[in-house]
Amino acid sequence: GDVPVLRVTRRGPEAVHFVPAALEPGAEVLLSLDWERRFDHMQQHSGQHLISAVAEQMFGFKTTSWELGRQRSVIELDTPLVTAEQVEALEKSVNEKIRDRVPVTVRELAADDPEVETVKSRGLPDDHAGPVRVVDIEGIDSNLCCGTHVSNLSDLQVIKLLGVEKGKKNKTNLVFLVGNRVLKSIEQSHNTEKALTSLLKNGPGEHVEAVKRLQSSVKLLQKNNLNLLRDIAVLIARDFKSKPAPKQLFVLHRKEGDSEFMNIIANEIGTEETLLFLTVGDEKEAGLFLLAGPVEAVENLGPRVAELLGGKGAGKRGRFQGKAAKMSRRGEVQALLQEFISHQNPGA
């Protein structure tokens, strides 16, 4: 019916289907196959058999495991190194086999048939029951396998080897795409290329250089911005100190800024007598805060400030800083600090 199958697993000779709702025992159901997904799995699985067989024939690389991923698949090869030249030669060879339209056949043998011993296998499960399946790629490979496969290598369309990655225990992971996944990857790459062409205002061959220039420009702007923020921090502190009667509480919020900006202000003003509450970031969302001042006061107030701001922080030696999730509550923090100072100086 319309009940989705979440997972299928094997238990002895039975295929066990997991569904989200109970079905009546003994009820007949019509199974509807997701053919697009099934054919994708067939292409990737048969492609893996082909790649593994040819890799072993050409270079002696044995396959120890493989993973069928959602977007790309990986074959684990029992070798510490696969060169770019070997990857290129392997890709060329497997695609030649596809163009040769080599048949792929599936046959069943009794588990005790002597021929089973001549077929590649990683062994049968302990609870295996019934005959065993042998998947043959004519003249190339013969392998015990319970998976679904294409009937001819031409159904694979094309294989693209994306390269290698370092694997576990001195092994190498070979990344690959087969068939429709290659077409989807090309489409995605082409769409990305079109978008970059529009944004960068140049052709695909110039994208890399354009991005490098942008990165250099951004680094320079970030450096200049940081220097300006430092200068502003110093000026803010000097302006506060130049006033004839410095206040015991200094509060400042600036949307642009970082931890260094706040610490420069605290260093310039000095925290032996003044309590500072500094914040940077979006005024109504998240940001950073710094509470600085006399050690005892900061130790007492720091955790309460963090709690009011819906954030977390830590501190030592008269400074408590951290992240704030509720910057809109800065006014409540300021009221708390003013109340604290009033209690410290009741006659003021």
Side-chain angles (χ1 to χ4, degrees), residues 16 42 92 110 113 140 168 186 190 206 213 244 261 274 276 322 333 343 346:
V16 181
M42 291 162 61
K92 181 179 179 181
D113 191 316
I140 299 171
K168 299 176 182 178
I186 292 173
H190 180 63
E206 300 170 307
R213 288 195 298 271
F261 172 77
T274 305
L276 296 92
V333 173
H343 287 154

Side-chain angles (χ1 to χ4, degrees), residues 25-265:
E28 288 190 4
V29 295
L30 177 64
L31 288 176
S32 177
L33 180 67
D34 182 347
W35 175 248
E36 183 178 351
R37 181 173 183 270
R38 169 62 60 84
F39 186 62
D40 172 58
H41 287 188
M42 291 162 61
Q43 285 190 319
Q44 309 316 307
H45 199 167
S46 297
Q48 177 267 313
H49 276 224
L50 176 61
I51 296 167
S52 292
V54 177
E56 185 169 354
Q57 291 167 10
M58 291 182 70
F59 307 112
F61 299 154
K62 293 186 179 297
T63 293
T64 48
S65 67
W66 85 289
E67 178 188 4
L68 172 61
R70 291 184 179 274
Q71 294 181 321
R72 62 179 203 164
S73 299
V74 176
I75 296 172
E76 184 185 68
L77 298 173
D78 193 11
T79 177
L81 178 66
V82 179
T83 67
E85 291 76 17
Q86 288 172 325
V87 171
E88 184 180 355
L90 179 57
E91 181 179 278
K92 181 179 179 181
S93 180
V94 294
N95 281 296
E96 285 174 352
K97 302 287 192 290
I98 292 173
R99 290 193 298 273
D100 288 341
R101 300 184 297 280
V102 177
V104 180
T105 56
V106 177
R107 55 199 172 97
E108 292 185 351
L109 298 175
D112 58 357
D113 191 316
E115 190 179 347
V116 172
E117 299 299 321
T118 67
V119 177
K120 282 188 208 171
S121 171
R122 284 188 288 164
L124 293 171
D126 294 335
D127 63 346
H128 175 78
V132 295
R133 277 172 97 248
V134 178
V135 178
D136 292 308
I137 304 177
E138 190 177 284
I140 299 171
D141 187 48
S142 188
N143 217 315
L144 285 190
C145 185
C146 62
T148 52
H149 290 268
V150 299
S151 59
N152 192 288
L153 290 188
S154 63
D155 290 329
L156 301 184
Q157 299 168 273
V158 65
I159 289 176
K160 179 60 187 173
L161 304 183
L162 297 178
V164 294
E165 300 170 350
K166 186 176 180 180
K168 299 176 182 178
K169 298 180 180 178
N170 236 16
K171 295 178 182 178
T172 299
N173 293 331
L174 177 64
V175 186
F176 70 95
L177 303 173
V178 184
N180 289 333
R181 291 196 183 192
V182 178
L183 300 179
K184 289 179 181 178
S185 178
I186 292 173
E187 182 180 9
Q188 290 172 353
S189 296
H190 180 63
N191 289 338
T192 300
E193 190 176 90
K194 283 171 61 179
L196 285 172
T197 296
S198 176
L199 289 169
L200 299 173
K201 309 300 182 186
N202 60 14
E206 300 170 307
H207 285 175
V208 173
E209 287 303 317
V211 171
K212 286 180 179 178
R213 288 195 298 271
L214 282 173
Q215 287 177 327
S216 297
S217 298
V218 168
K219 285 180 181 178
L220 181 61
L221 288 171
Q222 287 175 331
K223 183 179 179 180
N224 292 340
N225 185 54
L226 183 59
N227 289 333
L228 288 171
L229 279 173
R230 287 170 177 164
D231 291 343
I232 291 170
V234 172
L235 290 171
I236 288 171
R238 289 178 180 175
D239 177 65
F240 176 79
K241 291 171 69 176
S242 69
K243 293 177 180 178
K247 298 178 181 178
Q248 291 178 294
L249 176 63
F250 179 77
V251 177
L252 177 74
H253 173 78
R254 189 177 183 89
K255 187 174 182 179
E256 307 84 6
D258 56 14
S259 294
E260 184 181 6
F261 172 77
M262 294 188 292
N263 278 292
I264 289 173
I265 293 176

Side-chain angles (χ1 to χ4, degrees), residues 269-286:
I269 290 178
T271 58
E272 293 81 7
E273 299 178 357
T274 305
L275 190 61
L276 296 92
F277 173 52
L278 309 173
T279 53
V280 294
D282 194 293
E283 295 180 3
K284 296 181 180 180
E285 295 182 11

